[in-house]
Amino acid sequence: MKKKLFMVLTSFFVLTACAPNFGEQEEIVQETEDESKEQAIIPKYNISDSYYKMILPFKPGEARGLVSEQLNTRLDIDEFETGLMRVAQDTFSPDKYLYQEGQYLTGEVIQGWLNRKLTGEKLKAAQEKAKKAKKEYTEVGLNPALPDGGNLEELHSENPIYLSHILEHNYLIREDENTVELGGVVIGLAMNSVHYFQQEDGYAREKQISTSELLTKGKEYAQQVINRVRNTKGLENVPIVIAIYEQEKKSSIVPGNFVTKTVVKAGSNSLGKWEGIDEDYYFFPSDEATSDYRDDAQMFNRFKSDVEEFFPNYTGVIGKAFYKNGELNYLDIEIPMQFYGKAEVIAFTQFITGKVMEYFPDYITLEVNVMSNSGQEALIMKEPNQEEPTVHIYK
């Protein structure tokens, strides 16, 4: 039976005595495969046009927690998920669709797909185990097999682990005035730019993987993934977006980024045309940022110099910039300081707010976090075309 969400179009302000009040909202009842029903709500308000409304209470994905085991850094974990939502918006508009974590691909299924193919003695052992259980062994691992014997470094270099994680997002849409159903799925393939392994001597080794190589492999895996997804109950006929993410190395201070995507039409197994995604993160100050975006790097350095000149107990200014289609889209600045009183915090925040208005372009989203050893002292935020920034000093 197709899953549908039956929506009661009556508004209310308080759900129950113990439930949080999200303001005016819509109550929904989900009819599941076993014909049981689950109550949920859709909040009336959305915190930003950049986000989707989500079904509440939040329903964790079937593969919840697996992403933290597979990706290298917290930066990549966050960007892989939020970046996939950004990719989804080109196909599934936040004005029409609701977000829900993936409910179809389980952690066991995804982990099986992430494994290496088996060969040699390992393959024989797996086949024998399946035979004893009176089952037929099926190869599900997508990453290349690691042959038995030979030089371990050469084997890993020739057969690196390309695919590090698979993430599923579901997007729900109103079928008519009273019902909501699954309207689309977005699947992210996180690919390694570096393969890490240990040599026989126990020392860590690494194999660099070029963008062109990981893209070739990613597109190959995408076809295999879509074939398998189409055999998953409930996903036979929905449109699916597949996007390839290039994960950064473990030592990186910025996350990786999505590099390409394709749309698979409803009911089809054929990948559409691959479209490049021009997104990237840069750290300020850095040689890479100066080389690729000199004007922006110089703008940041002038801002940094003014801070250094004004406050003697300055300890550093760093920034993380997000570029989309070659233009600065978002800049997150962190300023760690040593403060000796709240008056000093206020004076410094006022100074920084003025410099934000003076130096940075009006079309970007800007966030400045002023920190001390005691924690966050102040927050300055400015949205595109906002006349004055929002400023908050923590008590």
Side-chain angles (χ1 to χ4, degrees):
M1 180 185 296
K2 184 187 292 183
K3 289 185 178 180
K4 292 186 178 180
L5 301 175
F6 290 85
M7 306 183 64
V8 181
L9 301 179
T10 55
S11 299
F12 59 97
F13 289 89
V14 180
L15 297 178
T16 67
C18 59
N21 180 5
F22 295 99
E24 189 177 2
Q25 50 218 313
E26 294 175 310
E27 182 180 5
I28 18 180
V29 179
Q30 181 175 8
E31 185 176 284
T32 61
E33 299 286 351
D34 58 3
E35 297 186 355
S36 63
K37 295 183 178 181
E38 301 173 357
Q39 286 192 332
I41 58 172
I42 300 176
K44 178 180 178 181
Y45 298 106
N46 200 4
I47 59 176
S48 169
D49 291 339
S50 299
Y51 297 112
Y52 288 87
K53 286 184 179 180
M54 300 185 185
I55 300 294
L56 299 174
F58 188 77
K59 191 173 182 180
E62 285 293 318
R64 184 185 191 188
L66 188 59
V67 63
S68 61
E69 301 173 8
Q70 305 299 329
L71 300 188
N72 290 334
T73 68
R74 181 76 240 181
L75 294 172
D76 270 317
I77 291 171
D78 292 343
E79 179 60 22
F80 186 41
E81 184 165 14
T82 58
L84 194 61
M85 291 182 186
R86 195 165 55 244
V87 169
Q89 292 180 23
D90 293 334
T91 306
F92 308 117
S93 170
D95 294 333
K96 298 180 180 179
Y97 289 83
L98 303 169
Y99 168 86
Q100 189 173 55
E101 283 200 347
Q103 302 296 311
Y104 296 88
L105 303 181
T106 67
E108 182 180 1
V109 166
I110 290 177
Q111 185 60 69
W113 295 359
L114 297 177
N115 289 337
R116 286 184 179 275
K117 291 180 171 65
L118 298 183
T119 188
E121 293 301 320
K122 292 180 181 179
L123 176 59
K124 290 180 181 179
Q127 291 172 334
E128 186 64 29
K129 182 178 179 181
K131 184 177 180 181
K132 289 180 179 180
K134 297 182 179 179
K135 297 180 181 179
E136 183 179 353
Y137 174 75
T138 302
E139 181 69 84
V140 295
L142 292 172
N143 279 302
L146 193 64
D148 296 331
N151 181 278
L152 192 58
E153 186 166 1
E154 290 181 1
L155 292 175
H156 274 278
S157 296
E158 294 172 1
N159 304 280
I161 291 179
Y162 293 102
L163 182 62
S164 63
H165 191 49
I166 298 173
L167 184 62
E168 172 203 358
H169 284 175
N170 297 158
Y171 292 91
L172 311 176
I173 189 170
R174 292 177 187 263
E175 185 183 37
D176 54 42
E177 186 177 353
N178 299 313
T179 62
V180 170
E181 65 178 3
L182 181 66
V185 173
V186 180
I187 295 175
L189 305 181
M191 308 295 292
N192 286 323
S193 60
V194 180
H195 167 57
Y196 297 94
F197 62 97
Q198 282 192 328
Q199 183 59 286
E200 290 94 336
D201 56 15
Y203 286 99
R205 298 285 193 275
E206 58 184 58
K207 157 71 175 176
Q208 302 290 327
I209 302 174
S210 68
T211 300
S212 60
E213 184 179 0
L214 69 84
L215 276 176
T216 298
K217 286 294 181 180
K219 292 175 181 179
E220 175 186 322
Y221 296 152
Q223 184 61 68
Q224 296 178 64
V225 167
I226 195 63
N227 291 340
R228 296 177 183 188
V229 168
R230 286 299 186 213
N231 289 324
T232 302
K233 187 176 181 180
L235 302 181
E236 301 91 341
N237 296 307
V238 296
I240 297 175
V241 176
I242 297 184
I244 295 176
Y245 180 86
E246 181 174 5
Q247 184 180 196
E248 271 290 352
K249 57 186 178 182
K250 292 181 178 179
S251 60
S252 177
I253 54 179
V254 293
N257 56 279
F258 282 93
V259 289
T260 190
K261 66 175 181 177
T262 184
V263 179
V264 182
K265 296 181 179 179
S268 173
N269 283 47
S270 300
L271 300 179
K273 180 181 178 181
W274 287 97
E275 301 176 37
I277 300 174
D278 186 3
E279 295 183 350
D280 214 344
Y281 283 90
Y282 285 82
F283 181 80
F284 286 135
S286 69
D287 292 339
E288 184 181 14
T290 300
S291 173
D292 293 351
Y293 293 100
R294 178 173 296 276
D295 290 345
D296 292 341
Q298 290 178 344
M299 172 184 65
F300 181 87
N301 288 335
R302 288 195 297 270
F303 171 80
K304 180 174 178 290
S305 296
D306 276 4
V307 176
E308 291 174 343
E309 183 178 350
F310 191 81
F311 271 82
N313 51 344
Y314 151 88
T315 58
V317 176
I318 56 176
K320 184 178 73 174
F322 172 64
Y323 284 84
K324 187 175 180 66
N325 298 324
E327 291 189 355
L328 181 59
N329 183 272
Y330 176 83
L331 179 60
D332 184 358
I333 297 174
E334 184 172 316
I335 308 176
M337 298 286 291
Q338 182 179 355
F339 294 105
Y340 297 98
K342 188 59 66 175
E344 188 174 359
V345 173
I346 295 171
F348 182 72
T349 303
Q350 290 173 336
F351 169 76
I352 293 297
T353 302
K355 292 302 175 181
V356 162
M357 298 298 292
E358 177 181 346
Y359 281 116
F360 298 108
D362 193 44
Y363 56 81
I364 71 169
T365 298
L366 182 73
E367 179 177 332
V368 181
N369 294 283
V370 180
M371 313 293 293
S372 73
N373 291 335
S374 301
Q376 186 153 1
E377 299 287 351
L379 171 66
I380 304 168
M381 295 192 67
K382 188 175 184 302
E383 297 292 334
N385 302 316
Q386 183 179 348
E387 291 186 5
E388 294 185 357
T390 301
V391 181
H392 178 75
I393 296 176
Y394 293 85
K395 295 183 179 179

